Amino acid sequence: PSHGDPTPELELYPLSIRLLRHQAPQTRAGVPGVQLGGFHFGPGGITGPMNTTPRRYLAYVAAFSRMTTLKQQHQYLCSRLRIREDDMRLWNFKEESNAYLLEEEDHTLEMLGVEDNQQILIEVRNKDMSWPEEMSSLANQKNRMEKKQAAAEKGATGLSNLGNTCFMNSGLQCISNTHA
């Protein structure tokens, strides 16, 4: 039944949904330091993300009823992919430039406007508890801001907090401003 109509309805053609995943980030093998959210903290200083936009690829094609709720789809994918529910989010990727996080758990795919052969991104939380899409948007935002701002005097600028990096950033700022 759709839109509150109690009449049963037979759905012959479920929605075919193209599920995207992020490609595993490249690591800098053999280089001492710490990798956090795509940034590398090492002896040479802090280097930016290797890829500001995470690479996405078509991982699965699945069929869901248009009456499936987002919560049901999320739970099904978590159980099939063996991912904790708190560690996975779904993004509507109808248009890459206008992608948005799907958060309305009680809405059906029909209510969300999901169409046949539409792309949905499965985002899995990084080991450092950050999200790949947030890291890329922060990095892209930082790149846009750097182009707009002129260079400031030494010691007057700070580091951007990316995820849970505020304590590390404060420690790095203290060390960088300590004279030996």
Side-chain angles (χ1 to χ4, degrees):
S2 62
H3 306 293
D5 183 9
T7 309
E9 189 177 308
L10 178 62
E11 185 175 0
L12 294 176
Y13 302 103
L15 295 173
S16 178
I17 298 178
R18 300 165 56 85
L19 298 165
L20 306 176
R21 296 272 314 250
H22 287 115
Q23 188 169 0
Q26 299 172 355
T27 58
R28 297 175 186 218
V31 178
V34 177
Q35 189 76 20
L36 182 63
F39 289 84
H40 184 80
F41 301 87
I46 302 170
T47 55
M50 292 169 281
N51 275 335
T52 55
T53 304
R55 192 155 181 217
R56 302 169 193 103
Y57 67 95
L58 177 64
Y60 317 99
V61 177
F64 290 98
S65 166
R66 59 187 168 85
M67 300 310 293
T68 302
T69 64
L70 183 61
K71 183 176 182 100
Q72 290 170 328
Q73 183 184 24
H74 187 269
Q75 288 173 337
Y76 175 79
L77 291 171
C78 285
S79 68
R80 296 293 292 173
L81 301 175
R82 296 186 176 138
I83 300 171
R84 286 187 23 206
E85 285 190 36
D86 293 340
D87 290 341
M88 188 180 92
R89 301 192 303 190
L90 299 174
W91 289 75
N92 184 333
F93 245 68
K94 191 173 186 177
E95 300 170 19
E96 188 170 343
S97 61
N98 196 18
Y100 59 90
L101 185 62
L102 295 170
E103 297 179 292
E104 302 85 7
E105 289 185 340
D106 59 333
H107 283 51
T108 64
L109 296 179
E110 181 180 51
M111 292 167 67
L112 291 169
V114 176
E115 299 171 357
D116 198 36
N117 286 320
Q118 185 168 324
Q119 296 184 61
I120 291 183
L121 174 68
I122 300 171
E123 182 183 32
V124 179
R125 190 187 306 259
N126 295 327
K127 289 180 182 177
D128 65 4
M129 302 304 285
S130 63
W131 295 98
E133 290 297 316
E134 288 178 356
M135 298 306 291
S136 69
S137 67
L138 284 171
N140 290 337
Q141 182 182 27
K142 183 180 177 193
N143 288 342
R144 284 191 298 267
M145 288 173 58
E146 283 176 351
K147 290 177 185 174
K148 291 180 183 178
Q149 293 177 343
E153 62 184 80
K154 186 176 180 180
T157 60
L159 299 170
S160 298
N161 287 328
L162 302 170
N164 298 327
T165 63
C166 56
F167 292 112
M168 183 180 58
N169 285 347
S170 62
L172 289 170
Q173 290 182 47
C174 289
I175 292 169
S176 70
N177 290 305
T178 303
H179 299 286

